[in-house]
Amino acid sequence: MPIGARNATRWPRNALDWAEDTRPSAMQLSAYATGRDNNFNLIRFLAAFTVLFSHSFALALGPGDHEPWFARIGYTPASVAVDVFFVTSGFLVTASLFRRGSADWIRARALRILPALMVMSALLVFVLGPLFTTNALAAYFGDSDTWRFLAKNATTLFGVKLRLPGVFADNPMARMVNGSLWTMPFELRCYITLAVAWWWVRFASSDAQRMFTRVVVVATAGMLVGLWWSHDAGLREWHAFRLFFMFFSGTAFWLLRDRIPMRGWIAALLAGVACIGAWQPALFLWTYPPVIAYLVLWCAYVPGGALRAYNRVGDYSYGVYIYAYPVQQAVIAASPGIGVAATFFAATAITLPLAFASWHLVEKPMLARKADGATH
């Protein structure tokens, strides 16, 4: 999910010192993870467009191994982009939890996610659905699935519904209205798990910060093992292990930020490890998951200069993510037989204004209600 806090405040230096008390150097992650001058907005925006690009193949060509990379390594650009979202979210949502405290954190999460989601769901039900349904309008609005779609997708707290009655019935990816929403319940469950674990540790331990760090590190390692095992066993649940691992990898990096060096040679080495996995498909899921968090955070904090100018543009990633899929399906329904490239460019031309409107008319005004005005 394209949602992540922008600010990371420093934790007390001694919170993680179960070995020896050392002051973090200027090269540690903690030295970078301060303030709002970072590349997270740009990274999330590029990730959202990577999802749009990757889905253009699947939606234009229909079910099958059409998305790039999938036939070779069983992964797609969209999969990597979703992992990027979850890593950034885990890192920055954890920072937000410790900065805000419980009640304000819950309010901040709701303001960031729900208003845009509700507007998007309403637009799909009341505008897109009537335009593209093959059912009579009376039947469309009289179908309980229409209202179930609106109720579930407006919050995603109780799962999502991906189909509206008669909508996109003749598309290659038939009847799927907004397949990108499948990740949203997982992100919300990650939030809930993070908060409950922290609150429990606070009551259970006199040294809550140190204990919480240990719990997160051990649990994240267990999720990685679960990912490897469930994927090797061919279980559908491997995606749950994968997304929870990505999110809590971000959490672990924030908790351990005083001990993580940010160096170019480490990033280059880990990128090489990931490339080896891509070159040897049997190794991909053994090499890629452990390195992605470091690479995302290095890209978020170390490269500077002109890249930081993007922060003045706005945070359009969430709007791109929640609108791109239905827009692509609408383009394909309106132009049967349209190719992948045409789908991508047409959907981009429509999705960008929707994301712009979502940010300026819905998301940004809601975020202004938060105490610090941050975009997370």
Side-chain angles (χ1 to χ4, degrees):
M1 189 44 231
I3 308 164
R6 290 177 55 182
N7 302 326
T9 57
R10 292 182 64 96
W11 210 13
R13 180 170 56 86
N14 62 0
L16 305 176
D17 292 339
W18 57 72
E20 57 179 316
D21 187 24
T22 57
R23 183 177 298 276
S25 77
M27 297 296 291
Q28 305 303 91
L29 176 56
S30 58
Y32 291 93
T34 57
R36 303 183 185 183
D37 188 23
N38 55 59
N39 297 316
F40 278 118
N41 280 350
L42 178 59
I43 287 172
R44 289 195 299 256
F45 181 77
L46 293 175
F49 260 95
T50 298
V51 173
L52 193 162
F53 166 77
S54 190
H55 283 172
S56 295
F57 291 83
L59 296 178
L61 302 177
D65 300 344
H66 300 301
E67 289 190 62
W69 309 349
F70 187 81
R72 177 173 174 80
I73 62 175
Y75 230 69
T76 69
S79 301
V80 174
V82 167
D83 292 345
V84 169
F85 286 138
F86 272 72
V87 168
T88 60
S89 185
F91 185 85
L92 298 170
V93 165
T94 303
S96 178
L97 175 62
F98 280 83
R99 182 178 67 249
R100 295 177 179 278
S102 304
D104 190 43
W105 181 79
I106 293 172
R107 182 172 180 269
R109 301 278 58 72
L111 287 172
R112 184 65 186 98
I113 298 170
L114 298 182
L117 202 58
M118 291 175 179
V119 171
M120 178 275 300
S121 299
L123 288 174
L124 295 188
V125 167
F126 295 110
V127 179
L128 182 139
L131 287 174
F132 289 97
T133 184
T134 56
N135 297 355
L137 288 184
Y140 169 81
F141 284 111
D143 195 317
S144 62
D145 282 345
T146 300
W147 306 109
R148 197 172 292 119
F149 182 99
L150 179 63
K152 295 190 77 169
N153 295 346
T155 65
T156 71
L157 288 171
F158 305 101
V160 296
K161 188 167 180 58
L162 303 179
R163 299 178 179 182
L164 280 168
V167 177
F168 303 140
D170 299 321
N171 280 20
M173 192 68 76
R175 301 185 184 279
M176 294 289 287
V177 175
N178 200 347
S180 295
L181 295 182
W182 76 272
T183 65
M184 295 296 295
F186 285 99
E187 182 149 2
L188 292 177
R189 291 164 194 161
C190 287
Y191 292 171
I192 293 168
T193 303
L194 173 69
V196 169
W198 169 237
W199 295 332
W200 177 80
V201 169
R202 287 178 63 189
F203 286 109
S205 174
S206 59
D207 192 354
Q209 294 173 333
R210 179 182 297 185
M211 178 60 68
F212 185 64
T213 300
R214 291 178 174 177
V215 168
V216 167
V217 170
V218 171
T220 303
M223 293 171 201
L224 178 59
V225 173
L227 186 163
W228 286 333
W229 168 77
S230 58
H231 182 268
D232 191 55
L235 302 179
R236 292 182 59 187
E237 288 77 12
W238 83 273
H239 285 294
F241 281 110
R242 164 199 157 203
L243 296 181
F244 269 76
F245 169 75
M246 295 298 170
F247 182 92
F248 283 97
S249 292
T251 295
F253 267 73
W254 191 82
L255 294 171
L256 295 170
R257 66 197 184 282
D258 282 348
R259 295 178 172 274
I260 297 174
M262 289 280 105
R263 293 181 173 85
W265 70 265
I266 298 177
L269 177 63
L270 296 182
V273 170
C275 289
I276 290 172
W279 186 257
Q280 297 292 331
L283 298 177
F284 180 74
L285 275 177
W286 294 92
T287 59
Y288 159 78
V291 306
I292 183 65
Y294 186 95
L295 294 175
V296 169
L297 293 170
W298 189 89
C299 291
Y301 284 118
V302 178
L307 291 176
R308 302 295 169 88
Y310 181 82
N311 286 327
R312 296 194 293 269
V313 175
D315 186 2
Y316 303 118
S317 58
Y318 190 31
V320 171
Y321 188 78
I322 63 177
Y323 283 106
Y325 196 106
V327 166
Q328 289 171 291
Q329 285 285 62
V331 166
I332 292 166
S335 305
I338 190 173
V340 172
T343 298
F344 171 74
F345 287 112
T348 296
I350 299 170
T351 300
L352 270 179
L354 288 171
F356 182 89
S358 179
W359 170 249
H360 289 284
L361 300 180
V362 181
E363 299 167 54
K364 190 176 180 180
M366 289 296 103
L367 291 172
R369 297 172 177 267
K370 292 160 56 175
D372 60 5
T375 63
H376 193 65

